[in-house]
Amino acid sequence: MDTELLELQRQFEFAQQVKSSIRLSERNVVELIQKLQELHILDFELLHTVSGKEYITPEQLRNEMIGEIKKLGRVSLIELADTTVVDLYHVEKQAQNIITDDPELMLNQGEIISQSYWDSVAEEINDRLQECSQIALAELAAQLQVGSELMASVLEPRLGSIVKGRLEGGQLYTPVYVARVNAMVRGAARGITVPTNLSTLWSLLQKLLQDMDGSSGVATEGSFFQSLFNGLVKNGEILGSLRAGVNWTPTVFAVAQKESVDSFFSQNSFISFEAMNKLGIPHASSILAGIPLITTFVHPSMIEMLDATTEDTLERGTWSDSLSLLPTSFTTQDASKVLSLCPSVQKALKSNKALTVGDCYVFSYSFLKEICDRLEKEMETLNASGSFTDDKQLGSEPGNDTGRNKQSERGSKKKKGKTAGTAMEGISEGVPDNQDLVPKKSKKNQRKGKDTSSTQMSDSRTGSRKESAKTKEDNTGSPSEEWIMLKISMLFPDFEEQGIDDPETILRPLASYMRPTLTNSWKEKRKSLFTENAERMKRLLDNLQRKLDESFLNMQLYEKALELFEDDQSTSIILHRHLLRTIGASMVDMLLHNLDMHNKLKNGLEVEEAQNSESVSLTPGERTALSKSLVGALANKALAVVEALEGKRVETFVTAFRVVTEESGLPLKKLDRKLERTLLHSYRKDLTSQVSAEIDPVSLLPKVVSLLYIQVYHRALQAPGRAISVAISRLKDKLDESAFKILTDYQTATVALLALLSAATGDEEDCTSDRVLSKREFLENQMPVLKSLVSNTPQSSS
């Protein structure tokens, strides 16, 4: 066989050396090959070289590439293209096939690398590692011009075989170095007795290694320490628990911790979650048998203790503060939850025998009933003001004071030593302004005058009064929470004594709980009072209407007499003011007093039986206060009447007074001719009887003057002492000369007597002096003459 091969080789070499007699050009060769391919004589692919002068088959290209790879171990595709003189496209295509067919090869960033190459590289790395104990993976990757990930993937399967070392955190370490660091980690971990963050420990170990090895020391990453630590924990060489990968709690600490918690819990029957968190125990139930609250973990005996105390409280019918019975570290939420777990509280709440207030307070039903009963008694004794406020605001309203009925003294007593002239100036015409020289008509006559026209106003008054006297729904309010809180704190000072100063803690919840019951009680009481007060309101309005009609008719009657003095402005002002301060003031006081009483009755308040309203006398301040207490527009109109009362014109007052009475549903009668004649006749008859029966010489004069005015002018005059002289002067033309002289002489003597009495010191000797006695004797002697003067004076025609 070998001989034949050698013979063929020789013949082939001879054929190559023989010169051909026919030479073909390159173009002819190319055309010839194309023709052979068309005829399918050449049935395989041919590749052109880069120079275009040669052909190469894909199999030949593949063989040449494989040869280069085996020779170099690591070769780039560009180098293969240069070596084979074939276009890079065909090289890349063949490279993909070569890589696919041979698992020992890899293509990385345009390079084909064989496993044999990596084996040789691993051997070099191992030699270097043994020399320096540590090599950075990034440094190796940079030297070999590959990525760190590829470098790690190549080294990992060769660790322990070709490479004698350990790869951790991007570093290669020798086994000796790993054993050394592992011993350090084990010793440091076993020395830990409290929970520790391992990152701190690794920092200390890194610093220790640097100090031991100096500047040439190996830089060790924390992940290397952590890996060694995890291996030690897994193998059971160190005992403890690891949380979040870095928080290490040694078993010795956990044992001591549990013993400490067990000891505290067994002694105190509770332990706070805060204390357990400080000890590093997130869940108390994992090591203790008890009940978790909001901030504390308690033993069942704690609940049993509170349950026994609360049960005793409910049996005795009192109240208790569970927070004060528990340790000081308990919050109100803890106390509330403990209460909810007490069987006695659960049973009492279910049967409505107890109430929990403010999370930690327990009240028995009997104690709550006691509070409610005492508050109802307070409501029964509530002042007539009707407002549920504090005691300072529950005082009597203006108009109810005892001093209301006292007459205010007007004028003052002259000092001792004044001369007779000064006394004359002080008393002017000899009679004090506050004295009504002409008395009012008797009630009998006034009632008679009213009866003559009572039918005229009945219809309008009835219609207005129905709406005014109509009972309204209770809109004056009910016991407020603030009022109830104030009363509870006053009636039960135990709350303040136990340090419950914040009203929101217990008083307000109690007030909120009791307010519906107290409100219903108050409404029932008010409802009964409304029923009782309805008849009283009707009687009050009837009496007020009757008295106002009488007084207002008198006011109109007296007002007509003022027209006689319009030409004398000073006297007119005196007469107007006198009428306002006597008849007008009495009317206003009576109206305001009765309206105030009517409002209280309407609002369901208890009011004592009214005294005689005609005797009520108010100060200006009291009138203003009562006016402001009225409702809506009525208050403003009442204030206008009070203001008009202090004015100088009667007609202004009359207008304002009529407005306020109409607003109150009390329309007043208007004086007509028929009523005027009836009232004048009654007034004259009454004055005539009073003049006949009068025994006081001083009091006789004004009555005689008033009677003369009725006879002469048909006017009822109400004049104060200062206006008597002017009033007498207006009679000069109406009386004969002798009668007028008797009247003026009597008036002069009366003034002189009053001047002497005013100038006296008050001693009995001064009051019985000769001059005083002589003046009085003169007047007494002239009294029959003066009385006869009235009877002898003819009455002028109307």
Side-chain angles (χ1 to χ4, degrees):
M1 187 68 176
D2 293 337
T3 305
E4 292 178 358
L5 290 175
L6 291 174
E7 180 60 24
L8 290 174
Q9 183 177 1
R10 184 183 62 77
Q11 291 177 4
F12 182 69
E13 182 179 358
F14 175 78
Q16 287 179 334
Q17 292 177 358
V18 172
K19 300 284 186 180
S20 177
S21 59
I22 302 173
R23 296 186 62 87
L24 298 176
S25 65
E26 292 182 0
R27 180 178 181 80
N28 293 334
V29 174
V30 171
E31 291 175 352
L32 179 62
I33 291 176
Q34 289 178 350
K35 188 65 176 178
L36 292 174
Q37 288 179 336
E38 290 176 0
L39 296 175
H40 301 288
I41 297 175
L42 295 178
D43 56 354
F44 50 83
E45 182 182 5
L46 292 176
L47 302 176
H48 286 284
T49 60
V50 176
S51 62
K53 295 181 179 182
E54 293 178 317
Y55 286 100
I56 186 171
T57 62
E59 289 77 6
Q60 180 62 31
L61 177 61
R62 175 189 178 94
N63 293 334
E64 291 182 5
M65 291 176 61
I66 292 174
E68 286 294 320
I69 292 171
K70 288 182 179 180
K71 181 174 68 175
L72 299 176
R74 176 182 180 182
V75 60
S76 67
L77 296 181
I78 296 176
E79 292 177 354
L80 288 176
D82 293 340
T83 303
T84 58
V85 197
V86 179
D87 187 76
L88 182 61
Y89 169 77
H90 299 292
V91 173
E92 290 178 348
K93 185 176 181 181
Q94 289 299 324
Q96 292 293 339
N97 295 330
I98 293 172
I99 297 299
T100 303
D101 295 340
D102 191 351
E104 296 293 325
L105 301 178
M106 67 173 61
L107 181 62
N108 177 63
Q109 296 181 355
E111 291 183 329
I112 298 177
I113 306 175
S114 65
Q115 293 297 329
S116 59
Y117 171 79
W118 289 122
D119 291 339
S120 62
V121 168
E123 291 176 358
E124 295 177 1
I125 291 174
N126 182 62
D127 294 339
R128 182 178 174 186
L129 177 62
Q130 301 307 319
E131 293 178 1
C132 58
S133 300
Q134 180 265 350
I135 302 175
L137 195 62
E139 180 183 350
L140 294 176
Q143 291 176 356
L144 297 175
Q145 297 180 356
V146 294
S148 298
E149 294 180 359
L150 176 61
M151 194 73 243
S153 65
V154 169
L155 288 178
E156 284 177 355
R158 293 170 174 79
L159 291 175
S161 55
I162 300 176
V163 180
K164 307 298 183 182
R166 178 168 179 168
L167 179 63
E168 289 289 348
Q171 297 283 342
L172 274 173
Y173 304 99
T174 61
V176 177
Y177 185 81
V178 171
R180 176 187 175 191
V181 175
N182 192 55
M184 294 178 65
V185 171
R186 182 171 53 249
R190 288 179 176 177
I192 296 174
T193 58
V194 295
T196 304
N197 188 298
L198 294 179
S199 299
T200 305
L201 180 62
W202 305 154
S203 299
L204 294 174
L205 290 179
Q206 286 175 347
K207 184 178 180 182
L208 178 61
L209 285 173
Q210 291 176 0
D211 294 341
M212 293 172 60
D213 298 337
S215 58
S216 61
V218 179
T220 307
E221 297 293 332
S223 57
F224 179 49
F225 293 118
Q226 188 69 43
S227 177
L228 296 175
F229 180 84
N230 293 338
L232 293 172
V233 173
K234 184 178 180 180
N235 296 331
E237 296 186 45
I238 52 178
L239 303 177
S241 60
L242 189 64
R243 291 185 297 107
V246 293
N247 297 316
W248 171 250
T249 302
T251 301
V252 63
F253 175 81
V255 173
Q257 182 187 60
K258 186 177 185 305
E259 292 176 353
S260 174
V261 171
D262 287 340
S263 175
F264 183 89
F265 189 70
S266 61
Q267 293 177 11
N268 300 279
S269 299
F270 79 94
I271 186 170
S272 68
F273 292 143
E274 182 182 2
M276 299 193 71
N277 288 332
K278 290 181 178 179
L279 294 173
I281 303 176
H283 304 291
S285 57
S286 61
I287 61 173
L288 297 175
I291 301 172
L293 302 180
I294 305 301
T295 64
T296 307
F297 195 82
V298 299
H299 192 271
S301 61
M302 182 76 70
I303 298 177
E304 295 173 359
M305 179 273 294
L306 185 62
D307 181 66
T309 305
T310 306
E311 185 177 8
D312 180 64
T313 297
L314 297 177
E315 290 177 355
R316 289 187 291 108
T318 59
W319 68 284
S320 66
D321 177 9
S322 60
L323 190 61
S324 63
L325 303 174
L326 297 172
T328 56
S329 62
F330 279 53
T331 63
T332 54
Q333 292 83 0
D334 293 325
S336 176
K337 190 166 184 179
V338 173
L339 274 180
S340 66
L341 296 174
C342 293
S344 62
V345 176
Q346 296 175 357
K347 182 179 179 181
L349 291 176
K350 188 175 182 180
S351 59
N352 293 326
K353 293 183 179 180
L355 174 70
T356 57
V357 175
D359 294 333
C360 56
Y361 301 97
V362 181
F363 288 84
S364 66
Y365 177 78
S366 58
F367 184 73
L368 294 175
K369 189 176 184 303
E370 178 186 355
I371 296 177
C372 196
D373 292 342
R374 295 182 66 176
L375 289 177
E376 287 182 352
K377 290 181 180 179
E378 286 291 320
M379 291 165 54
E380 292 175 0
T381 58
L382 186 66
N383 195 288
S385 65
S387 59
F388 289 93
T389 54
D390 59 87
D391 288 346
K392 294 181 180 179
Q393 295 173 316
L394 291 174
S396 60
E397 291 183 357
N400 291 333
D401 297 338
T402 56
R404 176 181 295 176
N405 298 326
K406 296 181 180 179
Q407 295 289 345
S408 60
E409 295 183 1
R410 300 170 186 172
S412 58
K413 186 176 180 180
K414 299 301 176 180
K415 294 183 179 180
K416 180 179 178 180
K418 292 289 184 178
T419 63
T422 306
M424 288 292 291
E425 295 175 1
I427 61 174
S428 183
E429 301 297 339
V431 183
D433 291 347
N434 65 323
Q435 180 179 353
D436 289 342
L437 299 184
V438 180
K440 303 176 185 177
K441 299 179 299 173
S442 65
K443 294 181 180 178
K444 179 179 179 182
N445 293 332
Q446 291 175 342
R447 190 176 300 111
K448 184 185 296 183
K450 176 185 181 301
D451 292 341
T452 58
S453 61
S454 60
T455 309
Q456 299 177 8
M457 307 301 295
S458 60
D459 294 339
S460 61
R461 182 179 63 186
T462 303
S464 300
R465 188 179 303 165
K466 284 182 179 178
E467 183 176 356
S468 176
K470 185 178 180 181
T471 302
K472 297 182 180 179
E473 183 181 358
D474 178 20
N475 58 359
T476 58
S478 57
S480 64
E481 289 187 0
E482 286 69 20
W483 184 87
I484 298 174
M485 291 164 59
L486 176 66
K487 290 300 178 183
I488 292 177
S489 62
M490 294 172 59
L491 296 174
F492 299 92
D494 293 347
F495 297 135
E496 294 185 0
E497 292 176 1
Q498 295 199 16
I500 306 175
D501 298 328
D502 184 9
E504 302 296 333
T505 302
I506 185 171
L507 295 182
R508 187 169 296 280
L510 276 180
S512 178
Y513 173 78
M514 294 184 176
R515 187 167 183 250
T517 303
L518 294 175
T519 300
N520 291 335
S521 174
W522 173 252
K523 288 182 178 179
E524 289 296 328
K525 178 183 176 184
R526 294 284 296 281
K527 185 177 179 181
S528 63
L529 284 176
F530 279 139
T531 305
E532 296 174 4
N533 291 349
E535 183 62 29
R536 292 182 61 187
M537 291 165 59
K538 184 177 182 301
R539 291 198 307 268
L540 177 71
L541 291 177
D542 289 340
N543 292 335
L544 178 60
Q545 181 76 72
R546 176 177 53 80
K547 293 175 182 178
L548 286 179
D549 281 339
E550 294 175 359
S551 298
F552 193 67
L553 288 173
N554 288 337
M555 172 67 80
Q556 295 176 84
L557 183 66
Y558 298 145
E559 182 185 8
K560 286 184 174 292
L562 302 182
E563 298 173 358
L564 301 174
F565 300 88
E566 290 298 326
D567 56 343
D568 186 351
Q569 185 176 4
S570 60
T571 304
S572 178
I573 291 176
I574 293 173
L575 293 174
H576 275 265
R577 285 183 172 176
H578 175 72
L579 192 56
L580 289 174
R581 293 174 183 176
T582 52
I583 306 300
S586 176
M587 292 168 58
V588 171
D589 293 348
M590 178 171 55
L591 176 63
L592 293 178
H593 174 72
N594 282 275
L595 287 179
D596 177 60
M597 186 176 297
H598 180 270
N599 282 341
K600 292 175 181 177
L601 292 173
K602 182 176 63 176
N603 290 328
L605 301 178
E606 294 183 0
V607 181
E608 296 181 0
E609 287 294 334
Q611 57 182 345
N612 186 5
S613 60
E614 293 182 354
S615 63
V616 174
S617 178
L618 305 177
T619 65
E622 291 172 338
R623 294 187 190 111
T624 301
L626 280 180
S627 299
K628 291 181 178 179
S629 68
L630 299 177
V631 181
L634 184 58
N636 296 329
K637 294 177 180 179
L639 288 172
V641 170
V642 173
E643 183 179 354
L645 187 62
E646 301 297 327
K648 300 178 181 179
R649 302 297 299 178
V650 172
E651 57 268 21
T652 303
F653 168 78
V654 169
T655 301
F657 191 80
R658 187 184 295 276
V659 170
V660 76
T661 53
E662 290 178 354
E663 181 71 22
S664 304
L666 300 168
L668 299 176
K669 292 181 179 180
K670 186 174 182 180
L671 185 67
D672 55 17
R673 297 288 296 176
K674 183 178 179 180
L675 278 174
E676 183 178 0
R677 286 195 299 269
T678 303
L679 291 176
L680 279 176
H681 177 74
S682 175
Y683 192 32
R684 177 183 178 185
K685 184 178 179 180
D686 190 33
L687 276 177
T688 301
S689 63
Q690 291 185 39
V691 168
S692 300
E694 185 62 62
I695 60 175
D696 183 16
V698 176
S699 300
L700 178 63
L701 179 62
K703 296 177 181 179
V704 169
V705 173
S706 294
L707 189 55
L708 288 173
Y709 264 77
I710 294 177
Q711 294 175 349
V712 173
Y713 291 106
H714 298 284
R715 301 292 174 90
L717 177 65
Q718 284 280 333
R722 290 184 295 170
I724 288 295
S725 176
V726 178
I728 292 174
S729 67
R730 295 297 178 104
L731 295 172
K732 184 176 181 181
D733 296 335
K734 302 296 181 177
L735 302 175
D736 55 38
E737 184 175 352
S738 60
F740 183 73
K741 186 176 185 305
I742 292 172
L743 188 59
T744 55
D745 291 344
Y746 192 92
Q747 189 262 344
T748 303
T750 301
V751 172
L753 176 60
L754 291 176
L756 290 174
L757 292 175
S758 177
T761 60
D763 296 339
E764 185 177 354
E765 294 180 358
D766 294 335
C767 295
T768 58
S769 63
D770 294 339
R771 296 178 61 187
V772 172
L773 291 176
S774 63
K775 289 294 182 183
R776 183 177 291 278
E777 182 179 0
F778 172 79
L779 291 175
E780 291 174 352
N781 293 332
Q782 291 294 317
M783 285 181 65
V785 178
L786 192 62
K787 292 180 180 181
S788 64
L789 175 66
V790 175
S791 59
N792 295 331
T793 301
Q795 183 175 356
S796 62
S797 59
S798 303

